[in-house]
Amino acid sequence: MRTKMVAGNWKMNKTLQEGVALATELKETVKNPSCAVVIGTPFIHLATVSELLKGSPIKVAAENCADKDKGAFTGEVSAAMVKSTGAEYVILGHSERRAYYHEDYAILREKVRLALDNGLKPIFCIGEVKEEREAGKQNEIVKAQLEGSVFNLTAEEWNNITLAYEPVWAIGTGLTATPEQAQEMHAYIRSLVAEKYGKQAAEDTTILYGGSCNEKNAAELFANEDVDGGLIGGAALIGEKFRAIIAAR
Ligand code: PGA
């Protein structure tokens, strides 16, 4: 049985105090979720929020980690450092990192490798931009993203991977993929995982949907067989909305 999950991605939002306030609220109100719950926070929040959430079912994710092990890389944060905060997950391959910070397949392959070597579980994001969808190239794009950065993993390593399908045209735009579009792509992604790692591994792989998923459309998206949960941006910044999405899963 694969894990159902609702994960938040705070992006570059919330001061430390604001983040602590939201994490505290979630700790007090999310006690017995029917799915795994993860919050992705900025680096500077990780240690405090991880400590605060001890004993809570809510797990913590970093939103990035370096593609280098350690050393003279001013301003970077390594996978080992993330792990040392108590965080268990790391979001990698987010389209904002790919687009604004030029993270290509090779860089992401390194980040995934370092995350796994340091005991972190990657939430690996894939998805096409608007022009690619309009040209009918979405399948070929997500396939290339998987082959470029994660299909080099061993079967054993694969067990630690959560995928997130995030059509870039749906992120932060209010343009959610329809439940049919999400299901179609998730089924395709699962078929690729089956070809690479076998049917059972594909059955066991958690595939989240992300892109303007909110408290109003979550239930409809999650009702699809291959949509195992969501990676939530904007709606994860408000406790009430995030809780409603968790309840929809
Ligand atoms: P959004 O972001 O929910 O604000 O569209 C999702 C994401 O980027 O992970």
Side-chain angles (χ1 to χ4, degrees):
M1 269 286 282
R2 57 186 177 253
T3 306
K4 308 284 184 191
M5 181 188 289
V6 171
N9 175 10
W10 291 1
K11 308 193 179 184
M12 196 174 74
N13 292 295
K14 300 205 179 283
T15 61
L16 179 58
Q17 290 74 22
E18 290 165 350
V20 165
L22 177 54
T24 305
E25 178 195 331
L26 292 173
K27 183 182 183 179
E28 283 164 4
T29 50
V30 180
K31 296 224 158 124
N32 282 305
S34 54
C35 63
V37 177
V38 178
I39 52 175
T41 82
F43 287 133
I44 62 136
H45 299 57
L46 291 174
T48 313
V49 168
S50 295
E51 183 64 31
L52 191 158
L53 290 175
K54 270 193 185 147
S56 154
I58 305 171
K59 307 292 184 204
V60 179
E63 299 172 14
N64 183 26
C65 71
D67 63 337
K68 301 288 191 298
D69 197 19
K70 63 164 136 174
F73 302 101
T74 302
E76 287 293 290
V77 176
S78 73
M81 292 174 188
V82 169
K83 179 71 181 179
S84 75
T85 66
E88 288 183 34
Y89 291 84
V90 58
I91 298 168
L92 291 174
H94 193 281
S95 62
E96 287 150 19
R97 301 288 325 167
R98 293 180 193 260
Y100 307 147
Y101 302 99
H102 316 293
E103 296 190 2
D104 60 16
Y105 296 170
I107 290 173
L108 290 171
R109 195 157 60 233
E110 279 311 303
K111 293 190 175 201
V112 170
R113 153 95 4 256
L114 286 162
L116 289 171
D117 287 353
N118 285 284
L120 292 170
K121 296 179 203 158
I123 298 175
F124 189 75
C125 306
I126 53 179
E128 80 287 356
V129 301
K130 185 159 161 273
E131 293 72 29
E132 291 161 345
R133 167 135 320 236
E134 282 167 359
K137 290 190 171 159
Q138 63 272 22
N139 287 12
E140 132 190 9
I141 296 297
V142 302
K143 186 173 189 213
Q145 290 171 334
L146 290 167
E147 287 176 344
S149 305
V150 285
F151 274 2
N152 58 305
L153 300 175
T154 65
E156 202 183 320
E157 287 169 336
W158 185 263
N159 294 330
N160 295 303
I161 299 288
T162 297
L163 294 177
Y165 170 58
E166 299 206 304
V168 182
W169 47 271
I171 296 177
T173 58
L175 279 178
T176 320
T178 64
E180 294 74 26
Q181 283 171 323
Q183 169 56 27
E184 194 182 25
M185 179 56 89
H186 283 227
Y188 174 66
I189 293 167
R190 204 177 299 286
S191 78
L192 295 175
V193 177
E195 268 172 42
K196 180 72 197 167
Y197 293 104
K199 206 164 180 313
Q200 191 57 50
E203 263 310 303
D204 293 343
T205 299
T206 298
I207 310 178
L208 308 178
Y209 168 80
S212 297
C213 180
N214 59 37
E215 71 288 2
K216 297 195 185 79
N217 58 29
E220 207 184 11
L221 286 160
F222 299 166
N224 294 285
E225 194 187 326
D226 288 295
V227 180
D228 303 313
L231 180 55
I232 319 298
L237 296 172
I238 298 156
E240 197 182 344
K241 293 188 180 187
F242 192 57
R243 271 196 300 285
I245 297 169
I246 296 167
R249 175 71 282 178

